[in-house]
Amino acid sequence: MYKELKVLLKSKLSDRQVNLARLVKDVIKKPARIKRELNNFQVHENKLRVAEIDHVPAVFSATIVDSCNLRCPNCFYLLENPDRFFNSHLSAEKFEEILKKYNKEKKADIMFLTGGEPLIHPEFGELVKISKKYEMITKTSSNGILIMNKPSSLLDLDYINISMDSYDYETFKKYRGGTKRQFDRILEGINFLKENNLNFSLSYVISAENISEMEKMIEFSERLMPKFVYFHNINPFGSDKFTALSAQNEYSMKHLNKILKRNDYAIDIQTTHIFNEKSSHFTETKCTLPWNNFSFNSKGDVAFCCMLEHDNKIGNVFDDYNFNSPEMIKWRKKTMSNKIEDCCLYCQKRFEDEQQFAVFDSANRKWIFSKHGKIIIKSLQQAFTDNQTNKTHIH
């Protein structure tokens, strides 16, 4: 009877009315939902407009362990600071203390458990349960080596990303500095995620130095069948070892164009922002993370965002930090100004409010491009057409 009534109502109501009915249902079942929606509205209204906020950041990034079992050459944490990692973890008791203090009314949407390598944490499963107790969508990103150490601790996660950066043992050794045993353990762990229908993705850091291997990364991912594969554009943090993908780099664009020409991939693909250095969009786009993201590490020190280093000068969650420390207010003011900090210039998070550069929809076998992605693709096609024309004239 209930199902029949539901079908009848859906046939009589508009899509807007159906969505409103769902929202009312959710609010009745979970009263915190209305607080969360109102808080999200405040986030939207405040970002890039005020330096002192009156909302709870929607995303909590908790560095629950400040150590890692790999030393990846392209790790953005180590590119920013080679001495970033140290041996420390946030206890479950302290973690709950933080959530009770900063998310008592369950206004925040997402808990991102990160590191270092988060699965090193001896109480990882307990941290997931605490996050769910505060009705937070709980996510993590791991190198995958330790999945099989405590596989049951992952079952309550809403989402897990495995940072691959490689497609066989040789590239794993090259890009992640790992052993054959570690690579095999990752594959074993991914099979566990698949067998248990966990929501997982694979990700790869892409730069001008490895974009020629992007097709092999996709082929490797197709064998493992994640929900989607994601390609990050590297932030070199001033390093001369890596070059971010730029629309002005002919070599990078040649290989990217090759990927985008195909429409027969078996999995969904999300590509990161491609920097168009000659555009005002590149020089003027401002980051919203200081309004939307609350980042703290295992010692309680706060960071301006999830990509930059934690520092007790910004604040500490075990003291009187309230999202509006003098340093954080100063950083938001700086972000609202016309000056983009050097450390932020090549950060893809600066463009996070926008649609991904290009998304491949495997069900419909087509690429979907963002507004700025279309501009770059159009200039790419023109450049390759001009090259072909020039070659024809030479012959």
Side-chain angles (χ1 to χ4, degrees):
M1 180 67 183
Y2 172 74
K3 285 184 179 178
E4 291 171 356
L5 181 61
K6 191 175 175 182
V7 171
L8 178 65
L9 284 171
K10 280 188 79 172
S11 68
K12 299 290 184 184
L13 300 175
S14 67
D15 288 347
R16 188 174 179 182
Q17 288 170 323
V18 169
N19 290 334
L20 182 60
R22 282 179 182 151
L23 179 60
V24 170
K25 178 186 168 187
D26 286 347
V27 169
I28 291 170
K29 286 175 71 175
K30 295 182 177 180
R33 173 74 188 272
I34 192 68
K35 289 182 181 178
R36 187 172 294 128
E37 292 298 332
L38 289 170
N39 185 68
N40 286 341
F41 177 76
Q42 281 181 288
V43 173
H44 178 76
E45 289 298 298
N46 286 343
K47 63 187 180 184
L48 296 173
R49 290 189 177 97
V50 297
E52 191 167 344
I53 63 174
D54 57 0
H55 65 260
V56 176
V59 181
F60 283 24
S61 292
T63 299
I64 56 174
V65 57
D66 280 280
S67 55
C68 189
N69 51 357
L70 288 176
R71 289 294 181 272
C72 306
N74 60 3
C75 173
F76 61 82
Y77 290 136
L78 295 179
L79 285 171
E80 186 201 7
N81 178 5
D83 301 317
R84 171 80 173 243
F85 296 134
F86 53 91
N87 190 22
S88 174
H89 72 269
L90 184 63
S91 70
E93 183 184 357
K94 289 289 186 183
F95 182 74
E96 182 150 25
E97 182 184 318
I98 293 168
L99 289 196
K100 190 174 180 180
K101 181 177 179 180
Y102 292 101
N103 199 30
K104 187 177 182 180
E105 295 186 1
K106 302 176 181 177
K107 291 181 178 181
D109 259 333
I110 296 169
M111 170 57 75
F112 198 82
L113 301 172
T114 184
E117 169 48 50
L119 299 191
I120 289 175
H121 199 291
E123 301 174 286
F124 184 83
E126 187 60 29
L127 302 189
V128 174
K129 287 177 182 174
I130 293 168
S131 301
K132 305 294 275 185
K133 177 180 168 182
Y134 285 83
E135 298 180 19
M136 304 178 83
I137 297 167
T138 309
K139 305 179 179 185
T140 195
S141 187
S142 166
N143 58 37
I145 294 169
L146 301 177
I147 289 175
M148 297 311 296
N149 281 26
K150 290 183 181 177
S152 61
S153 68
L154 308 179
L155 295 177
D156 290 330
L157 279 170
D158 293 294
Y159 164 80
I160 179 170
N161 173 66
I162 307 301
S163 303
M164 283 303 307
D165 296 345
S166 55
Y167 50 87
D168 56 23
Y169 168 57
E170 289 304 317
T171 51
F172 178 70
K173 183 168 66 173
K174 178 181 177 181
Y175 295 126
R176 310 233 84 185
T179 66
K180 178 70 165 62
R181 173 63 179 152
Q182 287 175 322
F183 185 72
D184 291 342
R185 289 285 284 172
I186 293 169
L187 297 183
E188 188 183 350
I190 290 173
N191 282 328
F192 168 81
L193 300 179
K194 282 170 61 179
E195 288 166 5
N196 287 273
N197 295 315
L198 290 179
N199 183 15
F200 79 97
S201 64
L202 302 180
S203 69
Y204 301 83
V205 176
I206 294 292
S207 65
E209 289 70 27
N210 70 347
I211 193 169
S212 61
E213 300 172 87
M214 192 171 170
E215 200 160 15
K216 290 180 181 177
M217 294 171 182
I218 295 173
E219 288 169 0
F220 171 76
S221 301
E222 286 177 318
R223 296 200 295 273
L224 299 173
M225 291 305 290
K227 184 173 182 181
F228 63 90
V229 59
Y230 184 69
F231 291 96
H232 298 263
N233 197 346
I234 196 166
N235 184 347
F237 282 105
S239 168
D240 58 2
K241 294 179 181 178
F242 301 101
T243 308
L245 297 186
S246 160
Q248 280 69 51
N249 186 310
E250 188 177 335
Y251 174 82
S252 296
M253 293 303 100
K254 174 186 171 185
H255 286 285
L256 184 62
N257 193 53
K258 185 181 176 184
I259 296 294
L260 299 175
K261 276 185 174 179
R262 282 183 53 186
N263 66 349
D264 59 345
Y265 302 112
I267 53 175
D268 289 353
I269 301 168
Q270 296 181 19
T271 63
T272 184
H273 187 82
I274 306 297
F275 302 116
N276 188 0
E277 293 158 320
K278 289 186 177 179
S279 70
S280 58
H281 182 248
F282 173 72
T283 56
E284 294 172 7
T285 299
K286 298 175 175 64
C287 181
T288 61
L289 286 187
W291 287 263
N292 195 45
N293 188 279
F294 173 36
S295 299
F296 54 91
N297 69 0
S298 60
K299 291 184 174 181
D301 294 338
V302 176
F304 291 131
C305 75
C306 58
M307 306 295 282
L308 297 177
E309 199 158 3
H310 304 89
D311 190 337
N312 60 14
K313 291 177 183 175
I314 302 168
N316 187 285
V317 297
F318 301 119
D319 295 331
D320 57 353
Y321 182 73
N322 66 349
F323 306 131
N324 290 309
S325 68
E327 289 299 315
M328 183 59 82
I329 289 172
K330 192 189 300 180
W331 183 260
R332 290 193 191 110
K333 285 180 178 177
K334 197 179 287 186
T335 304
M336 288 188 289
S337 74
N338 293 324
K339 169 90 167 67
I340 306 292
E341 293 296 307
D342 289 344
C343 59
C344 303
L345 193 61
Y346 286 95
C347 179
Q348 60 179 2
K349 295 284 185 182
R350 194 156 60 91
F351 306 89
E352 200 166 61
D353 274 5
E354 303 172 6
Q355 183 187 346
Q356 300 290 354
F357 167 75
V359 174
F360 182 73
D361 178 354
S362 59
N364 294 301
R365 292 185 173 275
K366 67 175 183 178
W367 285 96
I368 302 162
F369 297 98
S370 67
K371 174 187 170 185
H372 295 283
K374 286 176 182 175
I375 293 170
I376 291 173
I377 292 302
K378 189 176 179 181
S379 63
L380 260 181
Q381 291 169 341
Q382 185 62 51
F384 288 121
T385 301
D386 291 346
N387 282 345
Q388 287 301 114
T389 305
N390 290 339
K391 284 178 183 177
T392 305
H393 286 162
I394 290 170
H395 290 297

